[in-house]
Amino acid sequence: MGRSLRKGLYLILRYRKTVIVGLQLGLIALAALLAILVRYPLDVLPPFSEQLLFISIAVAIKLPICLMLGLSSGWWQYTSLSDLLQLSRAVLVSSIAFSSVALLFLDPYRPRLLLLDAFMTLLLLGGVRVIVRLIRERKDSERRAKRASDRRAVIVGAGSAGLGLLRHLQSNPLPSTHIVGLIDDDRHKRKMSFYGVPVLGTTHELHLLASRYSVNEVLIAIPTISKTEKRRILDTCKNLNITFKTVPALNDILAGRASTFEIRNLNVEDLLGREPIRLNRIHVGTALKNKVVLVTGAGGSIGSELCRQILNFEPRTLILFERSENALFHIQRELNRTVPKGSTVFQIGDILDEELMEQVFSQFQPEVVFHAAAYKHVSLMEDNPREAVRNNVLGTLALVKKARKYGVRKLINISTDKAVNPLSVMGFTKRMAEIIVQNHSRPGSDFLSVRFGNVLGSSGSVVEIFRQQIAEGGPLTVTHEDATRFFMTAPEAVELVLHAGVHGVGGEIYMLDMGKPERIMDLAERMIQLADPEGRRDLRIEIVGLKRGEKLSEELVWHGEDFGTSDVEKVYRLLNKVDSSSLQRDLDRLETLIEVGAVDVAEQLR
């Protein structure tokens, strides 16, 4: 019996179109018969021959028109509203054509019969499709509900994105995932039901709903959700050991980089405890278009991202200057796939190479310079202070002198919050670089700096270290339970640099409003939750203590710095007076220490 059933199903699928045409023929004929039976009492039914003529004309006219309008295509189990609209148009057109012919043969009472026939045709053709779909959805729901391994999920957000995701999942269900309900903070939607799925409550009740409905996964479907709300939901999920995913942000959806129906794991940028800052880029394009731009450290995390963004503004030439052959090779391969030939120059070299720098500046005459070449790892620079001074201080000095000589109109130096009241060699060298840039700024040669916090996901950042430690099975190492840092995303960092280049007037330091500092311990805990929401891998956090040169907390502003707002919202402008003679004495002393190969450079810097 089972074999015969499978063979029958195979034949139906093989000759699906023929079967559908036959079914529609039968339904059109049945609709005409039902119209006659409804229109006339049994005792006054028209003669059988007249009924047969009416049904035959209905089938002969309606069926070909319906087939021409596409009613033989598609799978009935996936019938949608657009399919029903297409069906309605086909029934309307075919019924008008049928009525035009049938009225020539029928008595004055027959127009009502024709209206009944059109209604019955629409009811039967549409009803069969809807019934087939309901049966399929019921079976899918029962099959997923019975499966022991099913994940019981709720969708946060009963707006257009959430309902669109729900319909998408009902048509294309995730393996082993059963949607048990919706959650929305609009109390007017409470106890409502959408596509057969109820609204269970609000996000503030998530902990209760998760227990009541045995929820073990949360899908956040609000593209415009704020970071604060997302963090609150994530913290609830973390406490309940519930996994969570999200749809992309609205900006990515509008830009065509993602779809509303995509479900992804949260990335580390979602953990930022404030809303990402997006700055207006209109003026940036004017400042960089058709300009010759030089980027030092172009192979690093910030330098390479700067180059990608700068190319969007169509500079005449972009010179990528980098000491690491491997780093430059990778960015070259990436850009060569999308950038027209001749618009980029890839130069390997050291900014302390006087002859090479002279050649680059004299040949290309750069108008804008972004200085991202620097050693940045605190503990490593503690062990290599001589190289920290050479690269971060003397390298910056050589660059700004060359920029002054060749009339560079704008130079933007990338600094760090570790330059404020520095305890480390790296912080001290970056503070010296700030002073050098400020001291060499002149009208027409606007030299300035930007101060970064920790850039999420940049090479060697705490996020990358945590990712590697998670991949290795832990533990995640944290210096101190109360250690805090200021964080910013890579797009924020690049936008800050670009806007400083446009709005800065020289001798200033620009800084982004990065909100409150984040505890490293909280970041580690959230990354563990992202990587292992169910706690199966036993990832631990180990306190290792502060290293030499590290601070418990970073600062953004020196005492005595002139702190004020800039022309760009959320960007601050800092200015302090520089003693040129004192700067020169410090530089002379550093150069002497380097020349004699002093082993106690770090102590002398402090």
Side-chain angles (χ1 to χ4, degrees):
M1 181 68 181
R3 184 175 180 181
S4 300
L5 180 61
R6 286 195 299 272
K7 187 175 181 181
L9 290 173
Y10 169 75
L11 291 173
I12 290 174
L13 289 173
R14 182 175 180 180
Y15 300 103
R16 187 177 66 86
K17 282 201 172 184
T18 303
V19 172
I20 288 176
V21 170
L23 284 173
Q24 292 187 139
L25 186 152
L27 291 172
I28 292 172
L30 179 60
L33 177 61
L34 289 175
I36 293 172
L37 295 176
V38 172
R39 172 66 182 83
Y40 297 102
L42 291 176
D43 55 346
V44 292
L45 281 174
F48 177 75
S49 59
E50 194 170 333
Q51 295 181 46
L52 186 61
L53 177 63
F54 182 84
I55 294 172
S56 299
I57 294 174
V59 172
I61 294 175
K62 288 185 175 184
L63 182 61
I65 293 176
C66 287
L67 294 179
M68 284 189 296
L69 293 177
L71 293 195
S72 64
S73 61
W75 290 85
W76 290 4
Q77 60 181 328
Y78 298 113
T79 296
S80 64
L81 180 60
S82 61
D83 294 324
L84 294 178
L85 290 174
Q86 181 186 16
L87 171 66
S88 300
R89 286 192 295 268
V91 170
L92 177 62
V93 172
S94 62
S95 295
I96 291 174
F98 170 52
S99 299
S100 302
V101 175
L103 283 173
L104 298 175
F105 303 96
L106 304 176
D107 62 41
Y109 295 100
R110 295 281 172 90
R112 282 189 288 174
L113 176 62
L114 298 174
L115 290 175
L116 279 170
D117 171 66
F119 173 75
M120 291 295 182
T121 304
L122 179 63
L123 183 65
L124 290 179
L125 291 179
V128 168
R129 285 168 166 78
V130 171
I131 289 171
V132 170
R133 171 163 180 162
L134 290 175
I135 291 172
R136 193 267 303 176
E137 289 186 349
R138 184 181 182 89
K139 287 183 177 179
D140 285 346
S141 178
E142 289 175 352
R143 185 169 60 251
R144 292 195 302 271
K146 289 177 181 178
R147 208 177 284 164
S149 61
D150 269 356
R151 301 198 61 77
R152 296 177 60 80
V154 292
I155 295 177
V156 175
S160 58
L163 298 183
L165 176 62
L166 174 61
R167 293 302 290 156
H168 180 74
L169 292 177
Q170 288 178 333
S171 300
N172 307 277
L174 291 173
S176 303
T177 298
H178 175 56
I179 306 299
V180 299
L182 297 157
I183 291 178
D184 198 285
D185 287 337
D186 183 353
R187 296 188 178 275
H188 294 96
K189 295 179 180 178
R190 186 156 194 158
K191 296 185 179 179
M192 295 180 69
S193 181
F194 297 93
Y195 306 119
V197 177
V199 178
L200 305 177
T202 67
T203 58
H204 296 279
E205 302 168 305
L206 180 58
H207 59 292
L208 297 175
L209 299 173
S211 174
R212 183 179 304 166
Y213 296 97
S214 302
V215 173
N216 47 30
E217 187 167 59
V218 170
L219 308 178
I220 303 174
I222 309 175
T224 57
I225 190 171
S226 69
K227 291 288 183 183
T228 303
E229 286 299 300
K230 186 179 286 187
R231 284 278 292 269
R232 181 173 59 80
I233 295 172
L234 299 190
D235 286 340
T236 302
C237 293
K238 173 186 169 183
N239 294 334
L240 296 172
N241 285 326
I242 295 176
T243 60
F244 41 81
K245 295 180 180 178
T246 184
V247 298
L250 182 61
N251 288 338
D252 292 331
I253 295 173
L254 294 177
R257 294 188 294 268
S259 164
T260 306
F261 305 135
E262 289 182 25
I263 304 174
R264 60 171 177 81
N265 292 320
L266 277 80
N267 54 42
V268 71
E269 284 75 14
D270 292 310
L271 303 180
L272 192 63
R274 56 178 173 78
E275 296 303 306
I277 296 172
R278 295 287 182 265
L279 305 175
N280 190 319
R281 290 191 163 200
I282 295 176
H283 300 298
V284 177
T286 305
L288 296 179
K289 188 177 178 67
N290 292 323
K291 299 292 193 303
V292 179
V293 181
L294 168 66
V295 177
T296 69
S301 302
I302 298 301
S304 60
E305 182 62 25
L306 258 175
C307 293
R308 296 184 191 100
Q309 297 299 328
I310 290 169
L311 287 169
N312 291 330
F313 301 108
E314 300 176 0
R316 184 164 72 252
T317 306
L318 174 63
I319 307 157
L320 293 87
F321 195 97
E322 171 62 54
R323 183 164 62 180
S324 168
E325 176 199 16
N326 194 48
L328 192 61
F329 172 75
H330 286 297
I331 189 66
Q332 181 188 43
R333 286 195 63 198
E334 175 189 335
L335 297 184
N336 279 347
R337 290 195 293 265
T338 57
V339 178
K341 290 184 177 180
S343 60
T344 52
V345 175
F346 299 91
Q347 179 64 59
I348 294 178
D350 191 322
I351 55 176
L352 281 166
D353 186 333
E354 167 69 22
E355 184 178 345
L356 176 60
M357 295 301 290
E358 181 71 24
Q359 176 188 327
V360 169
F361 273 84
S362 63
Q363 179 180 352
F364 297 105
Q365 299 288 323
E367 301 162 85
V368 182
V369 174
F370 293 95
H371 180 36
Y375 289 137
K376 66 178 184 177
H377 296 291
V378 172
S379 59
L380 200 56
M381 292 306 99
E382 289 296 308
D383 297 330
N384 297 274
R386 182 177 182 275
E387 289 305 308
V389 172
R390 284 189 75 257
N391 192 67
N392 294 2
V393 179
L394 304 184
T396 300
L397 179 62
L399 179 68
V400 297
K401 284 183 176 180
K402 200 63 66 180
R404 279 282 303 278
K405 176 180 177 180
Y406 282 93
V408 170
R409 296 169 56 187
K410 190 84 70 171
L411 183 145
I412 301 94
N413 167 56
I414 295 176
S415 188
T416 169
D417 53 8
K418 294 174 177 61
V420 180
N421 293 317
L423 290 180
S424 64
V425 171
M426 193 279 279
F428 179 86
T429 60
K430 294 301 286 181
R431 175 55 184 161
M432 288 291 292
E434 286 183 354
I435 296 172
I436 289 168
V437 170
Q438 183 177 356
N439 187 59
H440 283 78
S441 182
R442 299 288 186 275
S445 294
D446 297 329
F447 296 176
L448 51 109
S449 298
V450 293
R451 273 188 198 151
F452 282 2
N454 286 45
V455 179
L456 289 171
S458 63
S459 63
S461 70
V462 65
V463 169
E464 289 303 300
I465 293 172
F466 285 164
R467 279 179 175 156
Q468 181 180 354
Q469 290 174 337
I470 288 172
E472 294 170 351
L476 278 67
T477 55
V478 175
T479 57
H480 193 283
E481 289 185 359
D482 298 322
T484 62
R485 294 294 182 267
F486 290 97
F487 286 99
M488 59 199 305
T489 66
E492 285 180 327
V494 170
E495 291 197 0
L496 174 60
V497 174
L498 293 176
H499 279 78
V502 172
H503 297 277
V505 296
E508 302 167 320
I509 298 171
Y510 284 82
M511 180 185 70
L512 193 71
D513 181 358
M514 291 178 283
K516 295 180 180 179
E518 300 272 337
R519 288 179 71 236
I520 304 297
M521 179 67 79
D522 291 340
L523 179 64
E525 290 174 348
R526 288 192 171 92
M527 287 194 67
I528 288 175
Q529 175 65 7
L530 284 178
D532 184 30
E534 296 180 344
R536 295 178 179 177
R537 297 172 57 188
D538 191 28
L539 293 169
R540 298 179 296 103
I541 296 175
E542 180 180 333
I543 306 299
V544 297
L546 291 170
K547 298 177 183 177
R548 189 169 50 135
E550 286 187 327
K551 291 183 179 180
L552 190 62
S553 301
E554 298 292 355
E555 304 165 86
L556 296 175
V557 182
W558 284 80
H559 292 297
E561 277 187 321
D562 180 13
F563 179 88
T565 58
S566 72
D567 295 335
V568 182
E569 187 180 3
K570 298 281 188 180
V571 175
Y572 298 115
R573 179 186 61 81
L574 310 173
L575 186 65
N576 56 14
K577 294 181 180 180
V578 175
D579 184 348
S580 299
S581 60
S582 175
L583 170 62
Q584 191 57 53
R585 286 195 302 272
D586 288 340
L587 289 172
D588 291 341
R589 183 164 61 93
L590 285 174
E591 290 195 66
T592 301
L593 291 171
I594 295 297
E595 288 173 2
V596 300
V599 295
D600 61 343
V601 175
E603 295 305 319
Q604 299 219 29
L605 290 181
R606 286 188 251 269

